Amino acid sequence: MNFSDIEGQRHIADILSSSLAHDRAGHAYLFTGPEGIGKKTVAGIFARLLLCLDEGAAKGQGTCGSCLPCSLAEAGTC
Protein backbone atom coordinates (compact mmCIF):
# COMPACT_ATOMS: atom_id res chain seq x y z
CA MET A 1 0.00 0.00 0.00
CA ASN A 2 1.28 3.46 -0.83
CA PHE A 3 0.10 6.93 -1.76
CA SER A 4 -0.47 6.02 -5.40
CA ASP A 5 -3.55 4.14 -4.13
CA ILE A 6 -5.17 7.51 -3.34
CA GLU A 7 -7.27 9.53 -5.76
CA GLY A 8 -7.36 13.24 -5.04
CA GLN A 9 -5.32 14.96 -2.32
CA ARG A 10 -2.21 14.45 -4.48
CA HIS A 11 -0.44 17.48 -2.97
CA ILE A 12 -0.85 16.09 0.55
CA ALA A 13 0.29 12.63 -0.53
CA ASP A 14 3.37 14.19 -2.19
CA ILE A 15 4.28 16.11 0.96
CA LEU A 16 3.94 13.05 3.19
CA SER A 17 5.78 10.82 0.72
CA SER A 18 8.63 13.33 0.51
CA SER A 19 8.92 13.47 4.30
CA LEU A 20 9.29 9.68 4.36
CA ALA A 21 11.78 9.61 1.51
CA HIS A 22 13.98 12.19 3.24
CA ASP A 23 13.57 10.64 6.71
CA ARG A 24 11.95 13.87 7.93
CA ALA A 25 8.59 12.68 9.32
CA GLY A 26 7.26 15.04 11.97
CA HIS A 27 6.28 14.05 15.48
CA ALA A 28 2.60 14.82 14.88
CA TYR A 29 0.19 15.48 12.04
CA LEU A 30 -3.36 16.84 11.97
CA PHE A 31 -5.67 15.52 9.30
CA THR A 32 -8.54 17.99 9.14
CA GLY A 33 -11.19 19.00 6.69
CA PRO A 34 -14.72 18.24 5.61
CA GLU A 35 -16.17 14.77 5.90
CA GLY A 36 -15.50 12.41 3.02
CA ILE A 37 -12.29 13.87 1.56
CA GLY A 38 -10.02 10.96 2.52
CA LYS A 39 -8.45 12.06 5.80
CA LYS A 40 -8.71 8.62 7.37
CA THR A 41 -7.42 6.90 4.24
CA VAL A 42 -4.38 9.17 3.91
CA ALA A 43 -3.59 8.93 7.63
CA GLY A 44 -3.90 5.14 7.52
CA ILE A 45 -1.56 4.78 4.56
CA PHE A 46 0.94 7.17 6.17
CA ALA A 47 0.83 5.22 9.45
CA ARG A 48 1.36 1.93 7.62
CA LEU A 49 4.34 3.36 5.74
CA LEU A 50 5.82 4.65 9.00
CA LEU A 51 5.38 1.33 10.83
CA CYS A 52 6.26 -1.19 8.09
CA LEU A 53 9.59 -2.90 8.69
CA ASP A 54 10.43 -3.12 4.98
CA GLU A 55 13.12 -0.70 3.83
CA GLY A 56 11.07 0.35 0.80
CA ALA A 57 8.23 1.59 3.00
CA ALA A 58 10.55 4.07 4.71
CA LYS A 59 11.21 5.53 1.27
CA GLY A 60 7.51 5.79 0.48
CA GLN A 61 7.63 2.90 -2.00
CA GLY A 62 4.88 0.86 -0.40
CA THR A 63 4.37 -1.52 2.46
CA CYS A 64 5.44 -5.16 2.40
CA GLY A 65 2.12 -6.45 3.71
CA SER A 66 3.77 -9.33 5.57
CA CYS A 67 5.65 -7.94 8.59
CA LEU A 68 3.97 -7.81 12.01
CA PRO A 69 2.96 -4.10 11.80
CA CYS A 70 1.47 -4.67 8.32
CA SER A 71 -0.41 -7.75 9.52
CA LEU A 72 -1.79 -5.88 12.52
CA ALA A 73 -2.85 -2.92 10.36
CA GLU A 74 -4.56 -5.23 7.86
CA ALA A 75 -6.44 -6.92 10.70
CA GLY A 76 -7.43 -3.50 12.09
CA THR A 77 -5.83 -4.18 15.46
CA CYS A 78 -3.39 -1.32 15.64
Side-chain angles (χ1 to χ4, degrees):
M1 180 167 278
N2 63 23
F3 288 118
S4 65
D5 299 331
I6 300 171
E7 290 193 28
Q9 305 300 334
R10 179 80 325 217
H11 62 290
I12 299 299
D14 289 345
I15 290 168
L16 294 174
S17 184
S18 177
S19 72
L20 288 172
H22 294 99
D23 197 27
R24 302 278 301 167
H27 73 281
Y29 291 87
L30 294 175
F31 294 88
T32 64
E35 187 174 325
I37 62 167
K39 298 178 300 287
K40 188 174 183 179
T41 301
V42 172
I45 291 172
F46 187 55
R48 287 177 184 213
L49 288 168
L50 282 170
L51 296 174
C52 180
L53 301 177
D54 185 65
E55 192 173 302
K59 297 175 182 172
Q61 297 172 351
T63 59
C64 70
S66 60
C67 67
L68 180 60
C70 285
S71 298
L72 291 172
E74 186 65 33
T77 57
C78 67

